[in-house]
């Protein structure tokens, strides 16, 4: 009878699938009052002393075996449940790292612009931003560029539909008279200013031309400005940017808003170790008509101005061969600088 109970118990236990089922089986045998095994134990007290001793030992052995079966089933079920949980919460460490959000990167053009701005402000120049959509008054008229001048040609300049006197500025020189109007107190104060900015020209895009590009310009007006001042400021700027002495030369050139006007070339050594001159920027002494437009007495005041393509400087500084990279927003390119 006792053995039958043990076998029945063991058989039932083998079949259970969950811990709840296991617990239920356990209770039918071992619940304090109603469990079938507990009842056997309770029956011991009705036996004689010797019988009690005999049966008691046998029952205890049985209980131990049944509990062992129960324990090992419980351990087995725990293991099954644990591995199910592990499978569910599994992390595949061999899975490739998912892309993380990348931090931005300072564009090489911005880096160069910041450097130029730093040098200019160290020489006492204010740095100002200006409008990209501009009246032809500041882009052309104040700069001694009359309405018949070819620079106004629509082949170069973007005009705004239904606004014949609005342009997307074709150079940042629009800032010259703008800034002088703003700061020279009706032609009574000197000024030093640098003004980087975005400019637009109706150009076919190729390796060295973009319809949208950046310029960096500066002007200085005082009582005794000379070409030596002009060259001195430019050399200082280039020296700071390229971290070496730069040999420069001036070639006469024509810009309506300077007189005399020059192109400034810089000397560089090409990959075959040949010395070469490269055209770098336009410059000159401020034309009297510009000084007048700004409210100065052109007999008492004079000035200098120079302007260059910012992208050009960037290409040169880093040895980049195509200007279109600068507009590409391609991080593989941009992160190299
Ligand atoms: N504005 C001229 C250009 O866009 C550059 C320049 C600036 C030339 C100042 C002379 C003086 O090419």
């Amino acid at each position: 009878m006792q053995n039958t109970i043990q076998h029945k118990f063991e058989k039932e236990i083998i079949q259970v699938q969950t811990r709840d089922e296991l617990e239920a089986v356990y209770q039918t045998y071992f619940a304090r009052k109603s469990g079938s095994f507990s009842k056997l134990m309770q029956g011991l007290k009705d036996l004689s002393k010797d019988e009690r001793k005999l049966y008691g030992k046998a029952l205890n052995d049985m209980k131990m075996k049944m509990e062992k079966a129960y324990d090992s089933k419980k351990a087995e079920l725990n293991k099954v449940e644990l591995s199910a949980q592990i499978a569910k919460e599994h992390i595949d460490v061999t899975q490739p790292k998912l892309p993380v959000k990348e931090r931005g990167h300072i564009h090489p053009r911005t880096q160069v612009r910041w450097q130029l701005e730093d040098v200019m402000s160290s020489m006492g120049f204010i740095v100002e931003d200006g409008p990209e959509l501009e009246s032809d008054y500041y882009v052309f008229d104040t700069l001694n560029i009359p309405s018949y001048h070819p620079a106004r040609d629509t082949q170069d300049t973007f005009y705004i539909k239904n606004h014949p006197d609005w342009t997307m500025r074709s150079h940042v020189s629009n800032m010259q008279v703008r800034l002088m109007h703003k700061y020279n107190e009706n032609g009574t104060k000197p000024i030093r200013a640098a003004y980087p900015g975005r400019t637009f020209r109706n150009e076919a895009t190729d390796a060295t031309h973009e319809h949208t590009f950046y310029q960096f310009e500066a002007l200085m007006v005082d009582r005794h400005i000379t070409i030596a001042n002009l060259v001195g400021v430019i050399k200082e700027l280039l020296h700071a940017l390229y971290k070496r002495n730069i040999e420069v030369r001036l070639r006469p050139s024509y810009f309506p808003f300077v007189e005399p006007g020059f192109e400034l070339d810089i000397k560089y050594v090409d990959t075959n170790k040949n010395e070469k001159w490269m055209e770098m920027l336009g410059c000159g002494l401020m034309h009297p008509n510009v000084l007048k437009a700004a409210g100065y007495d052109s007999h008492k005041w004079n000035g200098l101005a120079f302007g260059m393509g910012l992208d050009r400087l960037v290409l040169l500084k880093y040895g980049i061969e195509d200007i279109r990279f600068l507009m590409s927003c391609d991080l593989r390119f941009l992160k190299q600088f």
Side-chain angles (χ1 to χ4, degrees):
M1 151 79 170
Q2 292 94 330
N3 275 342
T4 333
I5 282 200
Q6 183 191 337
H7 288 141
K8 224 176 128 226
F9 178 77
E10 285 170 351
K11 233 163 117 187
E12 280 179 52
I13 278 211
I14 285 173
Q15 280 162 12
V16 302
Q17 308 274 2
T18 67
R19 289 213 315 231
D20 283 349
E21 282 171 31
L22 177 67
E23 225 36 57
V25 171
Y26 187 81
Q27 288 302 321
T28 57
Y29 291 82
F30 291 102
R32 242 170 193 286
K33 283 187 180 153
S34 56
S36 48
F37 191 84
S38 307
K39 276 182 180 157
L40 281 179
M41 291 295 260
Q42 285 155 26
L44 281 178
K45 66 178 186 311
D46 300 318
L47 300 175
S48 69
K49 201 179 164 197
D50 287 348
E51 283 177 312
R52 205 186 300 151
K53 211 173 169 187
L54 196 68
Y55 281 107
K57 189 179 176 314
L59 282 182
N60 269 332
D61 285 353
M62 231 167 91
K63 191 180 178 199
M64 263 165 65
K65 283 183 189 143
M66 288 164 82
E67 264 171 356
K68 207 168 152 201
Y70 165 81
D71 283 341
S72 71
K73 185 69 186 186
K74 193 171 170 183
E76 183 194 314
L77 287 178
N78 278 345
K79 217 160 138 189
V80 170
E81 267 185 38
L82 187 69
S83 45
Q85 194 182 356
I86 287 175
K88 211 169 85 195
E89 296 172 7
H90 173 70
I91 295 171
D92 183 2
V93 293
T94 66
Q95 194 177 15
K97 201 165 159 240
L98 296 172
V100 281
K101 280 217 173 111
E102 304 220 24
R103 292 191 87 179
H105 179 77
I106 304 295
H107 196 285
R109 184 199 292 117
T110 309
Q111 295 180 37
V112 168
R113 173 166 65 78
W114 285 353
Q115 283 178 24
L116 297 177
E117 289 176 9
D118 280 352
V119 188
M120 294 312 285
S121 33
S122 78
M123 291 192 280
F125 286 65
I126 53 167
V127 177
E128 286 235 355
D129 203 5
E132 293 167 357
L133 173 61
E134 179 64 290
S135 65
D136 61 359
Y137 171 71
Y138 280 120
V139 178
F140 298 126
D141 292 282
T142 60
L143 293 174
N144 197 32
I145 304 173
S147 54
Y148 51 81
H149 195 281
R152 296 200 177 202
D153 197 325
T154 46
Q155 285 189 347
D156 272 315
T157 307
F158 289 114
Y159 286 90
I160 305 300
K161 220 175 181 173
N162 302 327
H163 296 278
D165 49 356
W166 290 7
T167 77
M168 296 306 288
R169 63 177 175 185
S170 51
H171 52 185
V172 287
S173 309
N174 70 308
M175 294 300 287
Q176 290 191 12
V177 174
R178 249 185 192 283
L179 288 172
M180 291 191 277
H181 279 165
K182 187 170 171 189
Y183 291 113
N184 74 2
E185 297 181 21
N186 297 318
T188 61
K189 290 282 181 322
I191 177 173
R192 288 178 211 180
Y195 31 100
R198 194 152 60 152
T199 54
F200 310 86
R201 279 183 208 175
N202 189 7
E203 303 223 47
T205 303
D206 64 23
T208 50
H209 294 91
E210 267 285 5
H211 51 73
T212 301
F213 54 101
Y214 288 76
Q215 286 191 334
F216 192 96
E217 221 186 277
L219 66 79
M220 184 169 168
V221 177
D222 214 317
R223 301 259 179 188
H224 307 288
I225 301 293
T226 67
I227 293 171
N229 296 129
L230 177 69
V231 174
V233 171
I234 294 170
K235 280 188 88 165
E236 195 63 35
L237 188 63
L238 295 175
H239 182 240
L241 184 66
Y242 294 117
K243 309 276 187 282
R244 61 185 169 89
N245 258 326
I246 304 277
E247 203 176 322
V248 302
R249 74 175 182 194
L250 293 180
R251 278 181 296 111
S253 184
Y254 173 70
F255 302 95
F257 34 94
V258 285
E259 179 59 40
F262 310 99
E263 305 254 8
L264 182 135
D265 300 336
I266 66 170
K267 193 188 249 181
Y268 73 106
V269 182
D270 72 5
T271 39
N272 297 325
K273 301 228 157 74
N274 296 321
E275 287 194 343
K276 291 212 166 137
W277 291 99
M278 183 187 332
E279 183 188 319
M280 193 74 203
L281 53 81
C283 60
L285 295 185
M286 203 170 275
H287 195 285
N289 286 349
V290 179
L291 288 164
K292 277 181 215 156
Y296 285 115
D297 177 345
S298 65
H299 296 290
K300 293 189 181 142
W301 297 85
N302 62 357
L304 61 83
F306 61 93
M308 58 198 139
L310 189 52
D311 302 277
R312 245 287 178 77
L313 293 189
V314 181
L315 299 191
L316 206 73
K317 182 171 166 93
Y318 297 112
I320 302 165
E321 66 278 9
D322 195 318
I323 197 172
R324 285 167 293 192
F325 279 127
L326 293 178
M327 288 293 198
S328 68
C329 298
D330 185 341
L331 280 182
R332 287 170 307 174
F333 164 74
L334 294 172
K335 286 182 115 182
Q336 297 174 48
F337 306 100

